[in-house]
Amino acid sequence: MLPRAAWSLVLRKGGGGRRGMHSSEARGGGKMSPYTNCYAQRYYPMPEEPFCTELNAEEQALKEKEKGSWTQLTHAEKVALYRLQFNETFAEMNRRSNEWKTVMGCVFFFIGFAALVIWWQRVYVFPPKPITLTDERKAQQLQRMLDMKVNPVQGLASRWDYEKKQWKK
């Protein structure tokens, strides 16, 4: 916040309110500062500064003609006046962008890179699988559990028919 003395100085010069901002003195005599908010947005369509502040002779003549009756202006002149004030139309603001293609490309790139890292780790970093995970050893372990009659009431041994040597149906 500015102190009261500074505010009174700003208000005396006419640069504090909205009217002061739209005067030619506040805009630097027609030249646009690089830090101004000159673009329209969907939620705030009326920018504080016009899009073009430095006008050539043809555009100045069009601005003078604008002060008269708008029925005398052609459609092309109305569009040119609109383009002097605004950067883009609502249709151009609401147009879909192709940014999703870049995002999806980056996502797939990183998924592919992660898959390559996982493959590399499985081949070169992780130790080989233990011998107990082979199919032969698993079959031997199952047979041993059946021979020991492990959990005969509700478990594995309860589903094995010991007389026929096959699984119960």
Side-chain angles (χ1 to χ4, degrees), residues 22-154:
H22 290 289
S23 67
S24 62
E25 297 91 29
R27 281 185 264 156
K31 291 188 176 185
M32 184 185 302
S33 168
Y35 303 108
T36 56
N37 182 12
C38 67
Y39 56 94
Q41 299 166 351
R42 210 176 314 166
Y43 53 87
Y44 185 68
M46 302 298 284
E48 295 176 359
E49 298 283 334
F51 179 65
C52 295
T53 55
E54 297 178 1
L55 305 176
N56 59 22
E58 182 180 314
E59 293 168 343
Q60 287 176 350
L62 189 59
K63 284 295 244 184
E64 288 298 321
K65 193 174 180 183
E66 174 190 24
K67 294 176 183 174
S69 175
W70 275 65
T71 56
Q72 296 174 354
L73 294 173
T74 65
H75 179 71
E77 290 173 334
K78 290 177 185 177
V79 170
L81 282 169
Y82 182 87
R83 289 294 180 181
L84 288 176
Q85 186 68 26
F86 302 105
N87 183 20
E88 50 189 6
T89 63
F90 273 104
E92 292 169 346
M93 277 189 271
N94 295 331
R95 162 182 76 222
R96 290 180 177 232
S97 70
N98 290 330
E99 186 178 6
W100 68 273
K101 295 176 185 177
T102 305
V103 170
M104 291 304 292
C106 290
V107 165
F108 288 133
F109 173 78
F110 285 113
I111 287 174
F113 182 74
L116 282 175
V117 168
I118 291 170
W119 171 80
W120 179 80
Q121 287 178 344
R122 285 194 176 188
V123 171
Y124 296 108
V125 177
F126 296 144
K129 289 183 179 179
I131 197 168
T132 56
L133 291 179
T134 61
D135 290 336
E136 181 184 321
R137 288 289 182 114
K138 286 182 183 179
Q140 288 176 353
Q141 183 181 12
L142 177 64
Q143 186 61 46
R144 183 161 188 260
M145 288 174 71
L146 290 173
D147 291 342
M148 292 174 50
K149 296 184 180 177
V150 174
N151 204 354
V153 177
Q154 291 182 339

